């Protein structure tokens, strides 16, 4: 269940982060505004996957938002912290362009490491009835 929750989180984070990087790069933004956009979109997409799933299960918007925030905040935060730290610490990755292999290597490598670190976090949270445990019956 923890791995499934982490894949769910990783999917939303990856979509948001890649979209943010593409938009920021296309608009010729600097590193900081591009990363802020990418991280923001990672949270938006990460929450939206849970939000739409629990809405489909019949929850009203207010309850669905509360559940999505409770289920995903820690997982997305850990995922983004690890992934963006790896990107920032990979020499040259912050200056790489979308057409550079280094950009994709750092981004995808960061997601792989973030998955390995976030899965035990999700397992710990689920074991305490938190995180994705609060939405498990609604998926």
């Amino acid at each position: 269940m923890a791995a499934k929750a982490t894949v769910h989180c990783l999917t939303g984070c990856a979509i948001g982060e890649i979209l943010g990087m593409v938009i920021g790069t296309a608009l010729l933004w600097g590193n900081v505004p591009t990363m802020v956009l990418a991280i923001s979109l990672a949270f938006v997409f990460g929450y939206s996957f849970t939000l739409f799933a629990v809405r489909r299960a019949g929850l009203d918007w207010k309850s669905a938002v509360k559940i999505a925030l409770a289920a995903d905040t820690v997982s997305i935060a850990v995922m983004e912290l690890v992934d963006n730290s790896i990107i920032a610490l990979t020499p040259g990755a912050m200056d790489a362009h979308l057409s550079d292999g280094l950009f994709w290597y750092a981004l995808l490598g960061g997601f792989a490491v973030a998955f390995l670190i976030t899965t035990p976090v999700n397992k710990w949270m689920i074991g305490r009835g938190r995180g994705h445990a609060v939405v498990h019956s609604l998926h």
Side-chain angles (χ1 to χ4, degrees), residues 45-121:
F45 278 90
Y47 286 138
S48 69
F49 283 1
T50 298
L51 183 64
F52 291 122
V54 297
R55 284 283 296 147
R56 233 185 1 252
L59 265 67
D60 62 273
W61 276 103
K62 184 177 180 181
S63 298
V65 168
K66 285 182 180 180
I67 292 287
L69 291 173
D72 293 333
T73 299
V74 172
S75 183
I76 295 170
V78 170
M79 183 82 57
E80 287 302 300
L81 177 66
V82 172
D83 177 54
N84 283 284
S85 294
I86 288 173
I87 292 168
L89 294 173
T90 301
M94 293 298 293
D95 297 320
H97 297 282
L98 296 173
S99 60
D100 296 335
L102 179 60
F103 169 83
W104 295 103
Y105 172 77
L107 183 65
L108 298 176
F111 283 138
V113 173
F115 177 84
L116 295 174
I117 292 174
T118 306
T119 300
V121 171

